Amino acid sequence: VAVAGEETRFVYAFRPGFTPVEVGQGESGFDRFLLSTPGELSGVDSVRVNEDIVPCELVIDGALTPCGQLAEPGERLEFALPRLDVKDSGKIVEVFFRARIYRFGTVFDGLLLDSERPNEVGQSVTGGDATFLIESNRLSVGVDLSGNLLQDVGVSSSVVTPNGDGVNDAVEFHYALLQLASDQLVTIDIFNLNGQRVRRVYEGMETSGRQQRPWDGRGEAGALAPGLYIYRIAVDADAREAERNGLISVVY
């Protein structure tokens, strides 16, 4: 069980099986692996075949770079490894990687690819008991459901200066939604220090994951007076609610 929103180390194990190669038929093997998830993949630490570490390179924009931390985490991660073919049938391949997940039951999908046949559809990895050395035989992950629905709440700058000079004319509110099984209502509001709402920045349905919403530093009626304001980001889930507040300054 992982903690929602926190970077966690995982191992993805699979055991390829190949059809014996006949004249012009059969499987040529694979030398690429594509991992995807609705969460956030942040890097590959190592790859092992039958417990031996093998070379591993991330495929980024068609170029190869040594496995490690991704500069830009995302939902898809492709890496290259030494070619495995029919002689390697039944060997255990283990991928040691890091990721953040945001909801219970997040699935990690694996796809085997052949760089020599770029137009062919890859072979999907199916769930099962690849090795007794790993307790789980699932491709999905559970999470601790006791935490907050909101995490990593903040703003790109604590000061917004909407005067048109191109410097901090707008800001980005950012946050991570956790443990939501379906879309839920999220609102972002700006209040003055008297508790009066001066702007609803955003209202919409969102699901688990990282989110960003812009604000131009203005109120419902236009320009705001310089000063200190309170922002509130709130999520109204089926049986739970959560909100986070912070301060932001408007300066001209």
Side-chain angles (χ1 to χ4, degrees):
V1 177
V3 177
E6 292 188 6
E7 186 176 77
T8 305
R9 295 182 183 275
F10 296 97
V11 57
Y12 192 111
F14 61 95
R15 184 172 57 203
F18 296 93
T19 302
V21 177
E22 298 177 351
V23 179
Q25 298 180 347
E27 301 176 49
S28 63
F30 63 93
D31 60 356
R32 297 283 192 275
F33 187 82
L34 178 64
L35 187 63
S36 59
T37 180
E40 186 178 272
L41 298 161
S42 52
V44 174
D45 294 320
S46 64
V47 178
R48 298 180 183 178
V49 177
N50 274 6
E51 299 188 358
D52 293 327
I53 296 178
V54 299
C56 166
E57 295 178 296
L58 296 173
V59 182
I60 302 175
D61 296 329
L64 299 179
T65 184
C67 281
Q69 188 80 17
L70 285 173
E72 295 291 338
E75 296 183 353
R76 293 162 59 91
L77 183 158
E78 182 179 349
F79 62 89
L81 68 166
R83 176 171 294 277
L84 298 176
D85 53 28
V86 65
K87 70 179 182 303
D88 302 300
S89 187
K91 290 184 177 180
I92 304 300
V93 181
E94 296 172 287
V95 181
F96 295 82
F97 68 99
R98 282 164 283 118
R100 299 175 190 269
I101 59 175
Y102 297 99
R103 67 171 181 261
F104 187 89
T106 293
V107 175
F108 292 99
D109 290 316
L111 192 66
L112 307 179
L113 304 169
D114 185 351
S115 64
E116 296 180 358
R117 300 183 178 185
N119 296 322
E120 288 192 357
V121 177
Q123 177 66 50
S124 298
V125 176
T126 57
D129 192 6
T131 171
F132 67 89
L133 297 176
I134 298 177
E135 293 182 4
S136 174
N137 60 5
R138 299 181 305 167
L139 300 180
S140 62
V141 178
V143 298
D144 182 354
L145 298 178
S146 62
N148 201 301
L149 298 177
L150 276 169
Q151 187 171 299
D152 295 335
V153 176
V155 63
S156 58
S157 173
S158 60
V159 177
V160 57
T161 58
N163 53 15
D165 65 355
V167 180
N168 287 344
D169 284 333
V171 294
E172 293 273 354
F173 293 105
H174 58 80
Y175 50 97
L177 298 173
L178 311 180
Q179 309 161 14
L180 300 182
S182 61
D183 289 359
Q184 303 294 336
L185 180 64
V186 175
T187 56
I188 303 176
D189 293 309
I190 307 295
F191 300 88
N192 61 27
L193 295 184
N194 293 323
Q196 300 169 315
R197 190 177 76 187
V198 296
R199 179 74 180 272
R200 170 147 286 182
V201 174
Y202 173 76
E203 180 179 20
M205 304 297 288
E206 294 182 345
T207 190
S208 297
R210 291 185 183 274
Q211 310 290 345
Q212 285 186 314
R213 298 295 170 186
W215 179 45
D216 60 6
R218 299 181 180 276
E220 301 288 2
L224 289 175
L228 199 60
Y229 292 84
I230 300 169
Y231 68 82
R232 182 183 70 189
I233 302 175
V235 54
D236 185 4
D238 294 333
R240 302 170 62 190
E241 297 179 357
E243 68 175 55
R244 296 284 295 275
N245 302 304
L247 295 174
I248 189 169
S249 297
V250 175
V251 177
Y252 289 92

